[in-house]
Amino acid sequence: MKSSLTEGAARAQLPAALPEGNSDGTSNGKKDSKQDGKLSLFRLLLKDRFATVSALVLILIGLTALIGPALMGDLATKQNLLFANKAPFTFAHGWEYFLGSDSLGRSMLARLVVASRTTFSVALPAVAVALIVGSLWGVWAGYHRGWRENVSMRIADVIMSFPSLLLAVVVLYVFSPSSANIVLILALTRIPIYLRTARAESAELQSRTFVDAARTFGAKPNAIIVRHVIPVVLPTLLTLATLECCYVMLAESSLSFLGIGIQPPDVSWGLMVSQGRQYLQTAWWLSIFPGVAIVVTTIAANVLAAWLRIATDPAQRWRLALPRKRLIARIPAKETQP
Amino acid sequence: MLIYLRKRIASSALPLMVVIVGVFALARMTGNPASLYLPLNATQQMRDAFSARNGLDQPLPVQMADYFGGVLRLDFGQSLRTGQDAAAMALRAFPATLQLAATTMVLAILLALVVGCWAALKPNGIADRISSFVSMAAASIPDFWLAIVGIWVFAITLGWLPTSGVSGAGAWVLPIATLLLRPFGVLVQIVRGSMVSALSEPYIKLARSRGAGELRVVTHHALRNAAAPALTVAGDLTVGLVNGAVVVETIFGWPGIGKLMIDSILQRDFAVLQAAVLLTAVAIFALNILIDMGYALLDARVRPVTVKA
């Protein structure tokens, strides 16, 4: 009983420590046990080349979105018709036109940087809202079982069985397509994912001995959920959330592309692809570069999520400790002869 | 079988009802629906006339009954743009989407079965690498961007394919290739995974020991069992295919239901939007039932026991 408790607590600390571990993994933490977890996870990350690169890419894009617009905000709206539709990959017109310019002579580079903030400021809140609401709801439904579970699952089924874009289309028709509405509709369509996962895990956990013990000692359901169930479920849900960032980013850019997402004069990567579409014959870079930005970000998040899934699972973690070549040789061998 | 079907119909009818009620609720939530149905620059007289004509001055329950009656009779009113019957417009656009979606789905399943089996038989082989690359791409590349890159490369730079339209076989290539990516990427992983586990089952050993050829083992014994999970996922993917269809139809000017929806949004034509959304919901509902039936035919364990006379 005690071992499962401590294991749960240890697992819970790992992903929480990860973001810090990326940026200041070498700094000295105060608590020894916490630092151990942080350091070893950081070391594991360094061992996997792909995961390291994706983490670095994500940090870079995150920093760009955070401080870039303050530096380049004016540049992104500055029009200069002398430099309209300049081709990319040349410093001839100055560094700001390295990635070319649009039909109004605005710098592509600056616009991409400013758009990154819009994209993140929609995707991250949407993921956060869906994660919090879906997880709490799912854990609650799974812990209590019975009618609460059934009703919650039916609601999830209803949302899932309807194409998310159609839902967004109708809602954004009725309400104006503002940032807040897009966040809400994206969160709403993704809540069932967390709801289902959290419910399944928590339904399994609530029959475990350590939860039973807590119940016997007279802990209230909500206290048990917060102290014993959530810490164990959290790694799975955070991994899922990393993966969901990709989905939500793609969904936001689809909406913006279709003209019912971010509205001009705001700019997001999806909107930029859509705006560049009519210049495809003369200025291909207007559509292609924002798309590349989306693809690079989502691939990095995907790779990191795949790594996180293995790293936070104690049963699979040993795989990451192996050198990469042996790892590749080992997985299929294990799968084909169970 | 019938009982099973009835149960499934009942459970998938719930989302359909939610959609129908939801559209009504949304249309009323914003206050006066006239502001929803009419263009933004409509005059006050137009709004009043619209309210009176559509019974919007009646009490809410009466309006609701009217609405449900309209849905049952497929009467969603008239398009503001063309003055045509909204349901007729949606029905006319439907076959184009259906052709596109059905072709894509059949291609995706066939390709996924072939590549997935091949990848399962030879781990780390070419097919295995292709399948993991495509799955990664499917999860990270926005479909609208893929379509635009396709147009840029194959239509503008190389000039092999038309940029849009429905004339000729060439016009089908890019829309289908764009739509294909996501379902194929997901399905190939599913097929590969379930084939790997099916191939390690005792009955495969038995079949081999009885002298069955490798092709027969794969197609008759392993694939039959491995196909069931792929079919279930294919059902979920079809729902997602509607999302892709909206994007692809908009880009390639495909006269289907997705383009109709986006056009009616951009031109504030709520009657048509409503008809198109509800028709799509019904189509998804019907499709789910078809998939359940296919699942029951394929997997004897799901099928309720029938005693042969």
Side-chain angles (χ1 to χ4, degrees), chain A residues 104-234:
Chain A
L104 294 174
R106 290 174 294 192
S107 156
M108 233 1 227
L109 182 65
R111 272 170 71 76
L112 279 175
V113 167
V114 172
S116 71
R117 171 175 281 183
T118 323
T119 303
F120 278 104
S121 67
V122 169
L124 294 184
V127 170
V129 171
L131 173 70
I132 292 169
V133 175
S135 310
L136 288 181
W137 186 0
V139 167
W140 171 80
Y143 180 82
H144 289 289
R145 314 295 304 254
W147 64 270
R148 288 171 260 214
E149 188 179 24
N150 286 332
V151 170
S152 307
M153 287 299 100
R154 283 290 85 73
I155 294 176
D157 286 348
V158 168
I159 302 177
M160 292 292 286
S161 65
F162 196 63
S164 52
L165 201 61
L166 286 199
L167 199 66
V169 157
V170 179
V171 172
L172 293 176
Y173 180 93
V174 175
F175 305 104
S176 62
S178 70
S179 256
N181 281 339
I182 299 168
V183 168
L184 282 183
I185 192 71
L186 287 178
L188 178 71
T189 52
R190 300 321 283 174
I191 282 176
I193 307 280
Y194 303 95
L195 178 63
R196 282 181 172 176
T197 316
R199 194 233 29 123
E201 294 247 327
S202 135
E204 192 263 325
L205 281 172
Q206 63 94 28
S207 60
R208 291 259 203 101
T209 344
F210 68 92
V211 174
D212 245 2
R215 216 177 282 139
T216 324
F217 287 135
K220 296 269 183 319
N222 285 344
I224 297 178
I225 288 177
V226 171
R227 298 204 47 176
H228 300 291
V229 178
I230 288 182
V232 183
V233 185
L234 205 57

Side-chain angles (χ1 to χ4, degrees), chain B residues 50-272:
Chain B
F50 178 83
S51 296
R53 192 173 62 237
N54 290 288
L56 294 172
D57 38 7
Q58 308 269 333
L60 205 62
V62 178
Q63 284 187 34
M64 192 137 175
D66 272 359
Y67 169 76
F68 280 121
V71 169
L72 284 181
R73 282 180 280 116
L74 278 183
D75 176 14
F76 299 102
Q78 288 170 347
S79 162
L80 285 167
R81 260 188 303 162
T82 59
Q84 287 172 324
D85 187 40
M89 282 176 73
L91 282 173
R92 211 177 315 125
F94 201 63
T97 304
L98 202 63
Q99 284 170 352
L100 197 64
T103 319
T104 308
M105 220 47 212
V106 169
L107 270 180
I109 292 175
L110 288 180
L111 271 177
L113 285 178
V114 172
V115 179
C117 283
W118 188 11
L121 287 172
K122 284 196 182 138
N124 282 329
I126 305 170
D128 203 1
R129 277 173 205 188
I130 292 179
S131 73
S132 45
F133 175 76
V134 173
S135 320
M136 191 56 153
S140 350
I141 300 183
D143 39 13
F144 60 88
W145 186 70
L146 187 71
I148 281 181
V149 172
I151 292 179
W152 178 48
V153 174
F154 293 105
I156 293 178
T157 312
L158 296 173
W160 291 350
L161 300 168
T163 51
S164 64
V166 283
S167 53
W172 286 72
V173 177
L174 281 178
I176 286 185
T178 314
L179 270 183
L180 196 64
L181 177 75
R182 196 140 302 161
F184 175 69
V186 177
L187 279 177
V188 78
Q189 285 298 313
I190 306 270
V191 172
R192 181 186 167 280
S194 49
M195 272 305 277
V196 165
S197 64
L199 281 173
S200 63
E201 295 279 338
Y203 58 77
I204 297 294
K205 261 186 203 142
L206 177 71
R208 284 203 177 116
S209 66
R210 281 167 64 199
E214 190 61 32
L215 190 71
R216 195 184 156 79
V217 168
V218 170
T219 53
H220 276 70
H221 298 270
L223 195 59
R224 204 186 152 89
N225 286 284
L231 191 66
T232 330
V233 177
D236 293 343
L237 288 173
T238 321
V239 177
L241 206 60
V242 175
N243 288 347
V246 174
V247 170
V248 165
E249 285 174 8
T250 314
I251 295 179
F252 292 103
W254 200 266
I257 202 125
K259 187 168 180 342
L260 187 69
M261 273 189 248
I262 292 299
D263 284 352
S264 49
I265 286 188
L266 296 181
Q267 305 178 0
R268 311 280 312 162
D269 198 346
F270 194 77
V272 177

Side-chain angles (χ1 to χ4, degrees), chain B residues 267-291:
Chain B
Q267 305 178 0
R268 311 280 312 162
D269 198 346
F270 194 77
V272 177
L273 177 68
Q274 196 185 347
V277 166
L278 290 187
L279 189 66
T280 314
V282 173
I284 291 170
F285 165 69
L287 187 101
N288 277 334
I289 291 170
L290 280 179
I291 286 172

Side-chain angles (χ1 to χ4, degrees), chain B residues 32-53:
Chain B
N32 187 2
S35 60
L36 207 65
Y37 285 82
L38 294 179
L40 290 172
N41 53 2
T43 59
Q44 189 57 42
Q45 283 130 323
M46 281 168 77
R47 288 171 199 271
D48 291 344
F50 178 83
S51 296
R53 192 173 62 237

